[in-house]
Amino acid sequence: MPPRLELRNITKSYPGIVANDDISMSIMPGEIHAVLGENGAGKSTLMKIIYGAAQADSGEIYCDGKPIAAHTPATSRALGIEMVYQHFALFESVTVVENIALAVSNTFDLDALARQITELSNRYGMPIDPHRRVHDLSVGERQRVEIVRCLLQAPKLLILDEPTSVLTPQAVVKLFETLRQLASEGCSIVYISHKLDEVQELCDTATVLRNGKVTGTARPKQSTSLELARMMVGAELPEMHVSPSVPSEKPVLEVRGLTAPARDKYGVELKNVSFEVRGGEIVGLAGVSGNGQAELISLLSGERTHGNALSIQIDGRAAAHLNASERRKLGMAFVPEERLGRGAVPPHALWQNAVLTAHRTGLVRNGLVDRKGANSFAAKIIERFKVKANGPQASAQSLSGGNLQKFIVGREIALQPKLFLVAQPTWGVDVGAAAFIRQTLVDLSRSGAAVLVISEELDELFEICDRLLVICQGQVSPPLIRTKTNREEIGLLMTKVDRGNGTNGRGEVAVQD
Amino acid sequence: MAAPVIATVLTLVVGSLLFATLGYDPLVTLQAFFIAPLNSLNGLSEWLLKASPLILIACGLAVGFRANVWNIGAEGQLIVGAIAACGVGLFYPNPESPILLPLMFLAGACGGMAWAAIPAFLRARMNTNEILVTLMLTYIATLLLSWLVHGPWRDPAGFNYPQTALLSAAAMFEPFDYAYRLNASVFITVVAVFLMWLFTDRSFLGYKMSVSGAAPLAARYAGFRESSAVWIGLLAGGAAAGVAGMAEVAGPLGQLSPQISPGYGFAAIIVAFIGRLNAFGIVLGGLLMSLLFLGGEAVQMNLGLSAALTRIFQGILLFFLLAADFFIFYRLRRIPEHA
């Protein structure tokens, strides 16, 4: 039987960089194949070449033994190759079913398609309401839309770029069941991930890339994580040092009885949220996406203000009525979940994006932007956080997701905040850089800053947090001491049944079990 | 920089074809359109005189456009600026005072800003659409001007013509040479171009505006107020248009009449986009637009081309310019049927 997909000697260069250097691999029907590598190793370029979104300079691609000529995404889809990108390509102002209709069908029988979506999404354990508008969906929910869109095509080869980064442990189990089911039906799967344990659990074979070259192939189920990690980074991984925390006497962030209506009919109402974060400690907020995290973080960051000034206090000062800039003056810094368009301005150069929040560190003089200062500020971040970018002049949108994340985290940490809010700090960031970012967060907190991490990765929260909170349907649990709780307890709190005030009617979407 | 070259070549080819099929010698026509108007000192003077308000207004508008604040009503702001400046010029107690002209300058700027402040307030407070409000206010300004020159401000010694009395010499810019109409107000435009460059390219305020335009969520993330982008964007356009109106009244016109602008306020929108919202580009765009105005008049007078034909030709050039820009940034592709 010919392989479902075979790559022979694929080479692709961009100005100044060889993204893929003589890469060969083959994937059999029904095989789940992992592609491992750090940011900038060339994984995304390779996937784009397979999908036809980019053309290789040299080399051949065979599908079921036949060479693919004149390769475009359209011919890929005709061959049954589907891809779920890491950055979703959804139109935000229209509904789920309309988005999917645009991608998959020639006829616009939306009712029939909506029924199909509901049926398919329920069958694969990722329920989604086809009539919701995409801009109301959390990142996790948007990903379900993308996956369902591909599944509707009954693909022969499915490419998934970092699919589990925003899912709960339970949802990951469900997704893996789905993928295994698909594979047993004969669909081949290319699975890009940084999470070695997932690759070991799911994948039959793995191709490891480093600096655009294949550095090895492995059978993940028979290899140790350490062996795989070494192939990826080419060096020993740094070890985490988490020293015991010494929390400050007074809280730096104090949230008291915060109640806020939903942004819109699909948002989540926050109900009497109270917690505090002290200097010197890291508090984690766990929860399935779409349970009020977006509302809470926008209220904490000042992107949304609140009438009751005392409901949020920063460093003992009423802050709920202040905007983001005024809160930053009190020592707050913030890394949002969305990097492009929120944490950074896509068409602007990195030095301009440095000015976005670092302007108060002396980068503005007499009302004029200090370009030299901003350039060297950006250059320092690029160096310290090993951001793969073409210097401070590179535009934010030219960076891969993980590299832009490193830049934004670096920029915010360089502000030496007293209060650091960070959402999904390591989403899409490779193992080495994720370890570095986590270590930086720990160091920041141990130097006296209060750190609040909002993450859907429980492993990460357990690794670095001192205390854990769980948000579910707009309510925040009492704090749990990290060392005195476990994943099961957190998992239960994440999916608890609504406690008597189930009026919002969105339980089936928010809760997965 | 390929776009303007491609657009020029295409315009010359299509324009020549158009003129030839209608029985005009293309070479003679193009010469009369683009070269003859600039052959004399007077032609050069007229060229700069018309380019000056276009560039000035386009600079002001571009400040707003960069932040996605769409001020389409510069024509109205120009008219109100001209009314305010002329009012000061007519009714200031001492018509010989040396501070009269500076006062008129301030009045023009304030008049334009006041007219732009209405849509700014409505957008910042009530989220109305500034495109509609600025456009509609233009018609109100036109009628206000018409009422003034037909009614209370009509020159009693003007044989019932709908126009105000002439301004005194101290209330006017002195021409460089009385044979030509070009006057010192072009220096205002030169300063405005520099300020616009400084603001958009170097200042922190201009930086905040560009963030608001390119990524509104990032502006909110950084705590830049959306309302200040709206206010600055509209007031900059209003001030520039108001000053342009003042320079018209205190320059070539010398009085108010029902038609004080040949559409500078609208043409400046095109100039801003031809110049890609950038100070240097706007200067080139304004010079081109002004030449199109002059050349259009010249071929009508000298060769007897119809007004419609000259406007078609002007349209062809602008169309190719903006289209060439578009096709440099985007590519057309056939999508296979089965996709």
Side-chain angles (χ1 to χ4, degrees), chain A residues 244-273:
Chain A
S245 81
V246 188
S248 63
E249 201 110 312
K250 281 189 190 155
V252 176
L253 173 67
E254 194 176 356
V255 179
R256 224 188 289 151
L258 179 65
T259 296
R263 276 173 311 174
D264 49 54
K265 63 178 172 167
Y266 298 117
V268 176
E269 180 191 352
L270 292 181
K271 295 163 204 154
N272 197 22
V273 172

Side-chain angles (χ1 to χ4, degrees), chain A residues 407-424:
Chain A
F407 182 80
I408 295 173
V409 170
R411 178 186 69 196
E412 297 301 302
I413 283 177
L415 303 176
Q416 299 173 321
K418 270 191 264 179
L419 168 64
F420 195 55
L421 310 176
V422 48
Q424 317 295 354

